[in-house]
Amino acid sequence: MRIPDPAGASVLGLPLWLVVAAGAVALFGAFQVYYWVGRRLGDALYRSRAGQRIGPERIARVEGLVGRWGALAVYGCFWVPGLRHTLPWVAGALRVDYRWYLVASALGCLTWVPVAAFGLYSLLWGWLSLAARSPALAAAVVAVIAAGIVAYVVRRRRSGKAPAAY
């Protein structure tokens, strides 16, 4: 199996770079909406259904991050699953300076989206290349990863710690 040239890669007929750019713009727009909804709702955000699901202790941890690191926490949240879509609401509710929030969220989108997209693309093509050469080995890789995830979840549940969903 020949692995395609990354510059010629496409998704649904569109060049991969265009899909990644559109994803970055969409995520940037979502981050702005999150901020302004959080700013508008303020404390009511904590009493909302989403706030109740997240839980007051997790929101307090996110508040601590935002209070300590400010806009730098907004940039850092891109790299932490779960925090990525929680912290912007809290940043709005805490009224983080929007100018710094805007810069941090733009930098986060410009750096995280390409790394995530091309990383996932590389993993997918690497696995497909392996599957073309050895379907059994590719299935074994999936089984080992699935077993690792199951073991992690079981261990977390037995220890009484909930998964960190922030």
Side-chain angles (χ1 to χ4, degrees):
M1 176 175 157
R2 188 178 86 71
I3 296 176
D5 171 23
S10 67
V11 175
L12 301 174
L14 297 171
L16 184 59
W17 68 266
L18 184 59
V19 173
V20 171
V25 169
L27 186 60
F28 179 75
F31 260 63
Q32 304 322 300
V33 169
Y34 292 161
Y35 177 86
W36 288 107
V37 167
R39 188 171 177 119
R40 175 82 171 118
L41 292 178
D43 288 339
L45 174 66
Y46 305 111
R47 294 184 302 274
S48 71
R49 186 180 309 174
Q52 294 300 315
R53 226 176 67 209
I54 294 168
E57 65 285 341
R58 288 185 178 143
I59 292 175
R61 288 193 338 220
V62 173
E63 281 182 342
L65 283 171
V66 173
R68 182 171 183 190
W69 296 100
L72 192 58
V74 174
Y75 177 77
C77 81
F78 280 89
W79 305 95
V80 181
L83 196 57
R84 184 176 311 119
H85 297 286
T86 304
L87 191 134
W89 299 79
V90 174
L94 293 177
R95 302 203 184 293
V96 168
D97 184 354
Y98 184 67
R99 294 169 295 186
W100 286 111
Y101 177 86
L102 192 67
V103 169
S105 60
L107 288 174
C109 288
L110 288 173
T111 56
W112 180 79
V113 170
V115 168
F118 290 114
L120 290 173
Y121 179 82
S122 298
L123 285 174
L124 174 65
W125 276 107
W127 184 82
L128 288 173
S129 176
L130 176 64
R133 286 191 310 270
S134 174
L137 186 56
V141 166
V142 170
V144 167
I145 291 170
I149 291 170
V150 168
Y152 173 76
V153 170
V154 167
R155 193 181 82 208
R156 292 283 297 203
R157 286 188 179 163
R158 285 187 181 157
S159 70
K161 295 180 182 176
Y166 296 98

